[in-house]
Amino acid sequence: MKTHDVTNQAPERTGLDEYETNIALREGVEAYGGADAADRLHRIGRHVGSAAFQRDAVRANRLEPVLHTHDRYGRQLDEVEYDPAYHRIIGAAVADGAHTGAFRHPGPGASVARAAAFMLYAQVEPGHACPVSMTHAAVPVIAQHDALAREWMPRLLSTEYEPGLVPGKRSALFGMAMTEKQGGSDVRAGTTIARPVGDDVYELTGHKWFCSAPMSDAFLVLAQAPGGLSCFLLPRLLADGSRNEIRIRRLKDKVGNRANASSEVEYEGARAHLVGDEGRGVRTIIEMVTRTRLDSVLGSTAGMRQATAEAAWHVRHRAAFGKRLIDQPLMTQVIADLQLETEAATATSLRLARAYDDDAGAEEIAFRRLATAVAKYWICKRGPGHAYEAMECLGGNGYTEAFPLGMRYREQPVMAIWEGSGNVIALDVLRALSRDPQSFEAFDAELARSDGADRRLDAHVRTTRALIRELARDDAREARARELVTALALALQGALLVRTAPAPVADAFIGSRLSGDGHLYGILPPGTDAAAIADRA
């Protein structure tokens, strides 16, 4: 029987070597985390780039979680069943410290090494990154409360993974539940009630509209105590091994993030422990929110890395009109432009992660307060368009489920929505500028480190500073908040690239992004060394 000739198709990939050798990520990790972190990155890259790991990623997204509310005898169960592929993925990520590695082995560059591990795993399978991220983000909250820390910190820092809800587990993953259907981002509108029963133990009754990773071992949640909105640690299992009164009402049917279960839950007198003081719930949980915003930046960057790698592989192995696609000038421009976006996001992600290390001084802490929100807004918003452009590089194949870019296109929007969508983040930036002047001083000091490196960047920074002064006097400044955050983000990315990236990368980024004309991929300034940039993809 005659077969069809498919010799001009890009070969199927059985392993993604690009994941372990991506130049921008390796350079950044070496600069901020040292040679040991770069070596560890290489080892993780070989694992997540293997054919077996990628098959598990596909399987975990196609065989989605299933909710079992009752067992076969009608007894309340409230369990979510995941395919074994999901457990293999998250188990490997936990073993490599993608969750709490920066706290387990603290020191200069530890957060950078952890961020790189997180990005490598999220680059191939993003759904598992939700509980991994929330566990990472819960640590600094729990660490501030001695009694809870003695009980939970050894489990949070463990590199073992035990998926079952069984007493005596040596490890734990954390989730959180803040939003309610009547409030959404306005968490102070929550109506879940917390009734004190003694010894900082409360009974919670109410409904949470979004609770991701409902099989986590414990959650940080907000509820209305007698003293006001407060933060609580809510375990799935009680001290005697019995199940807490948490009901999983349904799983969300999401656009993407299919491997991860997100749910609506109801508390029916569920037992929880007060974290911090009554009435200070938002202030207590804000550190967890901030670090999940950091991981949204990392997750979007991971998605850009995957999208660029897939597009670059295809165009290097596919021929049309007499030459390889990568050698066609228009395609060279597109791949170079996708790589520019990836490099800018990577440089920002790693610099931001460095500001979260335990040796961070007052200026670094102030810098990260503003820079996290700025990066969360911009990089996460750039993700969906970037994924689409990469998908188009594969032509019709990119639009099929046989290739991973459809999954990535559906995945990227959740990073922009999770833990504060665009308007919420933009308003947070305005508040930070007005209430926390030290945060902008630290941010501006970071920009100043690149003064004189590029006249176009210098002009953009001057314009941005003037805009901040103008909006400080403008009663309608909220309407221009997005304009301001965009300007801050591009200033930071440009400043980082002129210091850390090769000249062709920095020059093309500044020339294409700071023009103020908007940006579609594949339109780079005349004279750009597109081939050199594409070679880094």
Side-chain angles (χ1 to χ4, degrees):
M1 184 174 67
K2 185 177 180 180
T3 60
H4 294 288
D5 180 9
V6 292
T7 55
N8 197 31
Q9 295 294 324
E12 182 178 358
R13 303 173 72 172
T14 57
L16 304 186
D17 290 339
E18 285 88 346
Y19 288 124
E20 71 189 65
T21 58
N22 179 274
I23 294 172
L25 183 63
R26 188 174 69 245
E27 289 172 346
V29 171
E30 287 177 346
Y32 293 121
D36 288 345
D39 289 343
R40 182 165 162 267
L41 177 75
H42 187 78
R43 177 183 58 77
I44 297 172
R46 286 199 305 271
H47 175 60
V48 301
S50 69
F53 188 90
Q54 291 176 74
R55 283 195 296 269
D56 274 348
V58 172
R59 183 181 177 95
N61 278 274
R62 291 185 177 172
L63 301 177
E64 298 175 16
V66 177
L67 171 61
H68 301 288
T69 57
H70 297 78
D71 67 13
R72 60 181 175 175
Y73 300 108
R75 293 177 298 212
Q76 196 82 39
L77 192 61
D78 294 299
E79 286 190 6
V80 177
E81 178 186 1
Y82 298 86
D83 186 81
Y86 177 86
H87 293 302
R88 288 192 292 269
I89 290 168
I90 197 169
V94 167
D96 279 324
H99 62 329
T100 59
F103 302 109
R104 182 180 174 87
H105 301 292
S111 290
V112 177
R114 178 261 161 187
F118 179 88
M119 283 194 283
L120 280 174
Y121 276 98
Q123 179 172 339
V124 182
E125 201 302 292
H128 81 285
C130 178
V132 168
S133 172
M134 291 189 294
T135 303
H136 159 75
V139 170
V141 180
I142 302 302
Q144 296 177 33
H145 305 280
D146 292 341
L148 295 176
R150 284 193 296 272
E151 178 182 358
W152 288 98
M153 285 296 285
R155 297 173 64 185
L156 283 165
L157 299 183
S158 173
T159 55
E160 298 181 21
Y161 171 64
E162 302 174 62
L165 285 176
V166 294
K169 286 175 62 173
R170 294 171 296 181
S171 63
L173 295 180
F174 263 59
M176 66 175 165
M178 297 192 296
T179 60
E180 300 184 15
K181 54 190 173 186
Q182 77 285 349
S185 297
D186 183 8
V187 295
R188 295 185 185 278
T191 60
T192 295
I193 298 300
R195 183 177 67 87
V197 295
D199 296 327
D200 284 338
V201 176
Y202 292 66
E203 287 187 347
L204 271 57
T205 301
H207 180 272
K208 292 296 181 182
W209 188 242
F210 267 98
C211 175
S212 283
M215 288 298 286
S216 297
D217 300 286
F219 305 87
L220 291 183
V221 306
L222 295 178
Q224 301 288 356
L229 188 67
S230 306
C231 180
F232 297 90
L233 190 157
L234 181 70
R236 280 299 304 267
L237 297 182
L238 300 176
D240 62 3
S242 63
R243 298 196 175 195
N244 212 347
E245 298 298 325
I246 303 172
R247 305 286 174 251
I248 305 176
R249 293 308 185 195
R250 65 170 176 170
L251 300 186
K252 300 289 192 179
D253 186 9
K254 296 172 292 182
V255 172
N257 203 244
R258 309 295 289 192
N260 173 48
S262 297
S263 63
E264 293 174 35
V265 297
E266 197 159 353
Y267 308 137
E268 299 178 346
R271 292 279 176 125
H273 303 273
L274 180 67
V275 183
D277 299 325
E278 280 194 9
R280 297 177 66 84
V282 173
R283 183 176 292 274
T284 300
I285 207 171
I286 196 64
E287 180 72 11
M288 187 176 190
V289 173
T290 298
R291 288 179 182 263
T292 53
R293 287 178 174 179
L294 166 66
D295 283 356
S296 292
V297 176
L298 303 181
S300 291
T301 303
M304 290 180 184
R305 284 170 42 78
Q306 181 186 38
T308 302
E310 292 290 341
W313 170 274
H314 181 84
V315 302
R316 286 196 177 101
H317 293 86
R318 172 82 163 145
F321 308 109
K323 62 174 79 170
R324 292 184 311 159
L325 290 180
I326 189 59
D327 297 324
Q328 305 279 1
L330 270 177
M331 186 59 78
T332 307
Q333 292 265 110
V334 171
I335 296 300
D337 214 351
L338 292 173
Q339 178 64 14
L340 282 180
E341 198 72 41
T342 302
E343 295 226 16
T346 301
T348 307
S349 295
L350 296 179
R351 173 63 185 94
L352 195 55
R354 180 67 181 95
Y356 280 85
D357 278 329
D358 67 345
D359 65 336
E363 184 171 326
E364 280 288 270
I365 293 171
F367 166 74
R368 79 193 190 199
R369 283 200 297 267
L370 181 57
T372 301
V374 168
K376 163 71 165 72
Y377 174 88
W378 181 250
I379 292 175
C380 295
K381 279 200 171 298
R382 297 293 288 173
H386 184 277
Y388 157 70
E389 194 69 49
M391 182 191 298
E392 188 175 291
C393 292
L394 274 66
N397 283 340
Y399 199 63
T400 69
E401 295 298 338
F403 292 78
L405 291 184
M407 178 275 291
R408 181 55 64 184
Y409 182 65
R410 292 190 300 272
E411 188 69 29
Q412 287 289 47
V414 75
M415 303 298 171
I417 295 170
W418 192 35
E419 297 316 321
S421 55
N423 286 348
V424 171
I425 299 296
L427 293 175
D428 281 353
V429 170
L430 283 185
R431 280 190 288 271
L433 291 172
S434 62
R435 300 177 185 176
D436 185 12
Q438 290 83 8
S439 65
F440 178 69
E441 290 171 8
F443 190 97
D444 196 46
E446 182 72 20
L447 301 182
R449 294 176 62 195
S450 300
D451 282 354
D454 188 290
R455 57 177 179 75
R456 298 164 298 176
L457 176 61
D458 290 345
H460 176 81
V461 171
R462 287 195 300 270
T463 300
T464 302
R465 290 169 179 155
L467 179 60
I468 291 173
R469 292 192 296 269
E470 177 186 345
L471 293 186
R473 303 186 300 269
D474 189 348
D475 292 337
R477 58 183 172 274
E478 285 191 7
R480 300 179 66 187
R482 288 186 174 217
E483 175 189 353
L484 173 60
V485 182
T486 298
L488 288 167
L490 290 172
L492 178 60
Q493 290 190 321
L496 290 171
L497 289 179
V498 297
R499 293 204 310 269
T500 64
V505 172
D507 181 68
F509 180 87
I510 291 170
S512 59
R513 269 55 170 188
L514 301 189
S515 65
D517 298 327
H519 187 73
L520 289 177
Y521 291 101
I523 306 173
L524 296 176
T528 295
D529 192 347
I533 300 169
D535 282 345
R536 292 171 60 83

